[in-house]
Amino acid sequence: MARRKLAPPLALALAAGLGVAATAGTGDTVVETVFAPAATADVAPAVTYDTALVPVAGRVQVKEELRRDGGTRIELRLRDLAANRVYGAHVHTKPCGELPADAGPHYQDELDPKQPSVDPAYANPENEVWLDVRTNEDGSARSIATVDWRFRDGGARSVVLHAAATSTHEGHAGTAGARLACVNVPFK
């Protein structure tokens, strides 16, 4: 697969802009970059809001694969984050910004009319993209989510890392604690 890879040093990553590649003929999108300080959100492809849990220059890769059956496969890879820790992770509707809330709510295939959505009928891994991970002793992790649908054009714009595993119970479904970091992804 052809993709543009950003150099690990933060200055090079910021100067290079969004590391995105689409593989010819497949529709795959790959974003591979490093986390930068939130104050650089206007130019950085990924930002951290909590540098203790998601260090500056920690690495992230998000891959979107459009499946022949009409579904979508999303893969999240992380490196150099806090070791032996659970992170919630979801696709969000807006791009990353200087503030954690700038990324908007979770993307939902069928939109819950009541926002914020905490109803398990809407906030669930079949209607949203949940990519929760547990890092190993090196701070690396990988997660894959497959859904039976495709994103609406322009409706999904980022992946947000959260402070806890995603809750599934009534009144709290889809919640995963504070937003720790965000990566912009031009989902198709």
Side-chain angles (χ1 to χ4, degrees), residues 6 13 16 22 25 93 118 126 161:
L6 294 180
T93 61
V118 291
E126 289 79 36
L161 298 182

mmCIF file of all heavy atoms in Angstrom, residues 6 13 16 22 25 93 118 126 161:
data_model
loop_
_atom_site.group_PDB
_atom_site.id
_atom_site.type_symbol
_atom_site.label_atom_id
_atom_site.label_comp_id
_atom_site.label_asym_id
_atom_site.label_seq_id
_atom_site.Cartn_x
_atom_site.Cartn_y
_atom_site.Cartn_z
ATOM 1 N N LEU A 6 4.859 10.377 7.999
ATOM 2 C CA LEU A 6 5.469 11.569 8.556
ATOM 3 C C LEU A 6 6.661 11.188 9.415
ATOM 4 O O LEU A 6 6.630 10.209 10.134
ATOM 5 C CB LEU A 6 4.464 12.336 9.407
ATOM 6 C CG LEU A 6 3.295 12.921 8.639
ATOM 7 C CD1 LEU A 6 2.374 13.651 9.593
ATOM 8 C CD2 LEU A 6 3.772 13.859 7.566
ATOM 9 N N ALA A 13 6.716 16.817 11.500
ATOM 10 C CA ALA A 13 5.320 16.399 11.395
ATOM 11 C C ALA A 13 4.410 17.597 11.170
ATOM 12 O O ALA A 13 3.506 17.551 10.340
ATOM 13 C CB ALA A 13 4.888 15.642 12.648
ATOM 14 N N ALA A 16 4.935 18.998 7.655
ATOM 15 C CA ALA A 16 4.460 18.115 6.588
ATOM 16 C C ALA A 16 2.954 18.173 6.418
ATOM 17 O O ALA A 16 2.428 17.863 5.364
ATOM 18 C CB ALA A 16 4.889 16.679 6.868
ATOM 19 N N ALA A 22 -4.431 7.693 -0.064
ATOM 20 C CA ALA A 22 -5.501 6.817 -0.527
ATOM 21 C C ALA A 22 -4.873 5.828 -1.492
ATOM 22 O O ALA A 22 -4.143 6.213 -2.391
ATOM 23 C CB ALA A 22 -6.590 7.621 -1.223
ATOM 24 N N GLY A 25 -7.643 2.670 -6.339
ATOM 25 C CA GLY A 25 -8.581 1.610 -6.664
ATOM 26 C C GLY A 25 -9.254 0.959 -5.473
ATOM 27 O O GLY A 25 -10.236 0.263 -5.629
ATOM 28 N N THR A 93 -17.602 13.550 14.851
ATOM 29 C CA THR A 93 -18.194 14.224 13.688
ATOM 30 C C THR A 93 -17.426 15.440 13.184
ATOM 31 O O THR A 93 -17.619 15.850 12.041
ATOM 32 C CB THR A 93 -19.627 14.687 14.005
ATOM 33 O OG1 THR A 93 -19.585 15.608 15.100
ATOM 34 C CG2 THR A 93 -20.529 13.515 14.329
ATOM 35 N N VAL A 118 -26.760 9.005 24.964
ATOM 36 C CA VAL A 118 -26.335 8.015 25.957
ATOM 37 C C VAL A 118 -27.319 6.845 26.007
ATOM 38 O O VAL A 118 -27.280 6.029 26.909
ATOM 39 C CB VAL A 118 -26.169 8.648 27.365
ATOM 40 C CG1 VAL A 118 -24.977 9.596 27.382
ATOM 41 C CG2 VAL A 118 -27.434 9.351 27.811
ATOM 42 N N GLU A 126 -22.546 -1.058 17.027
ATOM 43 C CA GLU A 126 -23.110 -1.314 15.697
ATOM 44 C C GLU A 126 -23.513 -0.017 15.004
ATOM 45 O O GLU A 126 -23.571 0.053 13.780
ATOM 46 C CB GLU A 126 -24.328 -2.255 15.776
ATOM 47 C CG GLU A 126 -23.962 -3.685 16.118
ATOM 48 C CD GLU A 126 -23.696 -3.886 17.609
ATOM 49 O OE1 GLU A 126 -24.376 -3.247 18.441
ATOM 50 O OE2 GLU A 126 -22.786 -4.669 17.940
ATOM 51 N N LEU A 161 -9.359 9.863 21.419
ATOM 52 C CA LEU A 161 -8.986 8.948 22.497
ATOM 53 C C LEU A 161 -9.543 9.494 23.799
ATOM 54 O O LEU A 161 -9.419 10.688 24.081
ATOM 55 C CB LEU A 161 -7.473 8.833 22.619
ATOM 56 C CG LEU A 161 -6.708 8.274 21.431
ATOM 57 C CD1 LEU A 161 -5.224 8.202 21.757
ATOM 58 C CD2 LEU A 161 -7.231 6.912 21.046
#
